[in-house]
Amino acid sequence: MKKSNWIGLAIAVLVDVFLLWLWFFLGFNQVDSPLDLVIFIIWLVVIVAVIVGVNHLERQREKRLRTIYVSPTALFNKERGLVSLGSAAVAPGVMERILRDMEYGFDLKEMPKPEEFDCRYVVQTDEYKAARGEGGEPTWKGTVVAIDRAAGNRKTPFSSRSELAAALA
């Protein structure tokens, strides 16, 4: 979740707690039944559970959007679409640029047909944070799945750009 969402959540919880305190301070708890307090607490728990659930689903969606499919001549990402490569050696740099420029929007591209795009690897990025400063190494962790239709897929974890390049070689 974005920082502004967390700030909004904190303000909503503070307002809920203030209203609960005001309800007791003004003596409304003596007018109504104690069931009102139970309903209020259950409502607060439901709100927090929904926020946690939405946050979890958004993180899963972002992880799926960071998935990049690799062929010898091109890359495909659901947000960016099909990106041509000059050579397979530049693939990690192009993938890094795709991840750095991601907006995590809802306008997604369709996967190309198998005759247009021969997928050999699937790069699943679990975590990506752009490098700080000039020449710095980004934080980049994930898994490379080598697609082998005859012998079965092979998964190789990576935790840096150099390990990714080695897994794609």
Side-chain angles (χ1 to χ4, degrees), residues 58-68 76-80 98-99 102-109 125:
E58 179 62 18
R59 296 239 186 264
Q60 285 181 332
R61 186 185 79 83
E62 288 175 358
K63 183 178 177 182
R64 281 193 308 272
L65 286 178
R66 286 191 301 262
T67 299
I68 299 175
F76 176 77
N77 174 268
K78 288 186 178 193
E79 185 174 289
R80 188 77 179 264
I98 288 171
L99 292 174
M102 287 198 75
E103 296 175 2
Y104 298 103
F106 292 96
D107 184 27
L108 304 179
K109 310 290 190 255
T125 301

Side-chain angles (χ1 to χ4, degrees), residues 1 5 48-60:
M1 282 176 46
N5 293 349
V48 170
V50 166
I51 290 170
V52 168
V54 167
N55 186 32
H56 176 71
L57 292 174
E58 179 62 18
R59 296 239 186 264
Q60 285 181 332

